[in-house]
Amino acid sequence: MEAEDPKVLINVYAGDDDGEPIFEELPARRLDEDTYELLSSPGLALNLARGDIVSIKNKNAHAEVLSRGGNFCVQIYEDEDIPQAILSRLEKEVAAGLGGTLDGIHGGNLSLTIPSRNGMDRIGDFFDRFREQTGIQWYYANIYKNLDDPDDETLLAWWPKD
């Protein structure tokens, strides 16, 4: 008898648009009926990163993070497609300089996983230089407590101190 492959694609709630829920499809490893380990950082959903263990009991609510995988999710939003030369350079520099990965590309939107052991200051300096060189903005996607209020900058502070 063949074992079931625990790798699945899951729909993660990412918010509402005009009262309609928006979902993002992410690769995950099924741990049990409602519990998953994320295999990629999201490009749209907030408060999640690769390696997190999450519970999704209510599909129309944010996933509950049961334990952190030790990674920051950095999201980049650009109106236009990002040129391949910039993507290639960013991917190489993130891997070499931070031990991170480029997990997803959708048009001008990127998701990256960066190990928290780098510290926020080092990661911030890296992506601030990227912004200065390219004009492209970046965002820590899994550090804020209140996911539904973009003006509330209360930090979760789950990561080690710099």
Side-chain angles (χ1 to χ4, degrees):
M1 181 175 193
E2 233 176 89
E4 182 182 329
D5 185 358
K7 293 181 183 173
V8 295
L9 290 174
I10 60 173
N11 287 316
V12 176
Y13 175 80
D16 288 321
D17 184 21
D18 291 330
E20 293 295 317
I22 298 171
F23 300 95
E24 180 173 5
E25 189 175 76
L26 292 174
R29 180 173 293 114
R30 182 187 306 274
L31 301 177
D32 69 32
E33 185 179 344
D34 300 316
T35 307
Y36 305 90
E37 176 186 5
L38 298 180
L39 300 177
S40 178
S41 288
L44 185 60
L46 300 176
N47 193 36
L48 305 172
R50 186 177 69 223
D52 289 353
I53 307 296
V54 300
S55 174
I56 302 175
K57 291 186 178 168
N58 177 354
K59 71 174 193 151
N60 292 321
H62 296 289
E64 177 187 357
V65 178
L66 302 176
S67 67
R68 297 281 176 188
N71 295 307
F72 287 112
C73 173
V74 171
Q75 295 175 343
I76 293 176
Y77 300 105
E78 184 67 3
D79 291 334
E80 304 294 323
D81 287 356
I82 297 173
Q84 186 58 47
I86 292 174
L87 285 175
S88 295
R89 189 182 88 220
L90 176 64
E91 185 171 21
K92 287 176 188 169
E93 290 177 0
V94 162
L98 300 172
T101 58
L102 174 59
D103 287 3
I105 304 169
H106 182 74
N109 300 332
L110 311 177
S111 65
L112 300 104
T113 297
I114 310 296
S116 62
R117 70 178 174 271
N118 287 288
M120 287 187 77
D121 290 343
R122 184 170 174 218
I123 296 166
D125 289 346
F126 177 94
F127 283 99
D128 285 346
R129 279 192 307 278
F130 172 76
R131 183 190 62 233
E132 289 166 6
Q133 294 168 358
T134 64
I136 299 171
Q137 296 295 323
W138 67 279
Y139 178 78
Y140 281 114
N142 65 331
I143 67 169
Y144 299 109
K145 202 175 262 190
N146 189 346
L147 304 179
D148 296 315
D149 182 356
D151 294 326
D152 184 350
E153 294 185 353
T154 305
L155 297 177
L156 288 166
W158 56 263
W159 53 90
K161 301 291 180 226
D162 285 343

